[in-house]
Amino acid sequence: MTTADAHDRRPILVVQHVPWEGPHLILDSFPDAVVEVRHTLDQHRGTPLPDPTTVRGAIFMGGPMSANDTDTLPPIADEIAWLRSAITLEVPVLGVCLGAQLLAKAAGAAIAPAAQPEVGVSEVTITDPLDPLIGHLAPITYAMHWHGEQFTLPAGAVAVAHSAQTDVQMFRLGSSAWGMLFHLEVDSDLLEVWLAEPSMTAEARRVLGDDYGENLRGGLAALRPQRSRTVFDQFARQCDQRHTAPVTVTGGLI
């Protein structure tokens, strides 16, 4: 347990949009933390997000919906408003795939369909070797991609990584928030969960063809889960460094 853990028992918030896209390897970096998972789109388990000042950090995961679905999925609008407040309050945030798109939209970026979906393992070029989370993986790492939308760089953000197909694969807002379009939390176990989900296999077949399973499983050999783990370890340290007492905010944040 870190020094911060010993004194700060505020939870790490995990926002999960679909059952098959959980944090997986990310939580290995928070072995002693209280983790509070919110399933915002689940009509049975969905509950409002907590006040941002009551959490030590937040992880927003992926899902097949769009950050633009605010009219048809009101909880998406609530998440964007929550993230906007978290940015202002400098609450540590890590957004993954859809989570990155929500964070980007909260910061004013435009979200739009990509020319074609990016699915499978491929190179990611790290453009900021001094970035606290992913800089140590520079100049190039490999990651699993699985997204059909992309975003512009939010105003004031720093571009951290790109791929051959996507200009903004990862960005940093200030010193507390990161949006990561690719999936470093993937290993063989999580990939099999994804391949057991009909909606994901249908998308993979459309993009990669009938040999999608062989393609995706074969790509795992290029991944280095232990190196990826250090990215999440660094985010955990960011959450520890924001060791401040919860404050009372009037007027509402969400």
Side-chain angles (χ1 to χ4, degrees):
M1 181 180 293
T2 66
T3 301
D5 282 328
H7 299 286
D8 188 348
R9 298 307 292 167
R10 288 179 295 169
I12 298 296
L13 172 68
V14 173
V15 177
Q16 189 167 332
H17 301 98
V18 288
W20 57 90
E21 292 210 42
H24 199 57
L25 296 181
I26 300 175
L27 292 188
D28 290 347
S29 297
F30 295 89
D32 300 306
V34 176
V35 177
E36 183 175 331
V37 181
R38 294 292 177 95
H39 301 267
T40 55
L41 301 182
D42 189 316
Q43 61 178 336
H44 302 294
R45 293 187 292 173
T47 54
L49 294 176
D51 188 311
T53 63
T54 66
V55 303
R56 190 146 54 91
I59 302 164
F60 280 66
M61 296 308 303
M65 57 289 301
S66 171
N68 293 325
D69 290 342
T70 53
D71 290 338
T72 55
L73 294 173
I76 292 292
D78 295 337
E79 290 184 35
I80 293 169
W82 192 98
L83 285 165
R84 194 172 293 122
S85 295
I87 293 168
T88 300
L89 293 165
E90 298 187 337
V91 175
V93 173
L94 176 63
V96 178
C97 202
L98 172 62
Q101 296 170 39
L102 292 166
L103 181 65
K105 191 172 182 69
I111 315 296
Q116 60 183 9
E118 189 170 14
V119 178
V121 174
S122 63
E123 287 185 358
V124 173
T125 299
I126 312 302
T127 55
D128 183 359
L130 298 181
D131 181 75
L133 261 61
I134 205 169
H136 65 284
L137 298 185
I140 290 173
T141 190
Y142 283 82
M144 178 68 74
H145 303 265
W146 205 308
H147 65 93
E149 293 190 312
Q150 58 189 12
F151 44 76
T152 57
L153 183 67
V158 175
V160 172
H162 67 81
S163 67
Q165 182 174 325
T166 305
D167 289 340
V168 184
Q169 278 282 352
M170 185 172 179
F171 64 90
R172 181 180 68 250
L173 279 167
S175 60
S176 61
W178 287 263
M180 183 170 65
L181 198 53
F182 48 93
H183 295 271
L184 289 181
E185 78 278 14
V186 171
D187 61 5
S188 59
D189 291 339
L190 183 56
L191 178 59
E192 292 307 317
V193 171
W194 287 4
L195 292 178
E197 165 52 39
S199 64
M200 294 199 76
T201 56
E203 183 177 26
R205 181 178 283 108
R206 286 195 301 270
V207 177
L208 301 174
D210 289 340
D211 61 348
Y212 67 90
E214 179 181 351
N215 182 308
L216 292 167
R217 292 185 180 101
L220 291 175
L223 303 182
R224 298 291 181 267
Q226 286 305 113
R227 292 190 73 207
S228 300
R229 160 75 184 268
T230 61
V231 175
F232 306 131
D233 287 346
Q234 290 296 328
F235 180 67
R237 291 189 181 96
Q238 294 292 319
C239 294
D240 286 349
Q241 290 168 8
R242 296 286 172 176
H243 176 54
T244 57
V247 298
T248 300
V249 178
T250 59
L253 287 168
I254 300 176

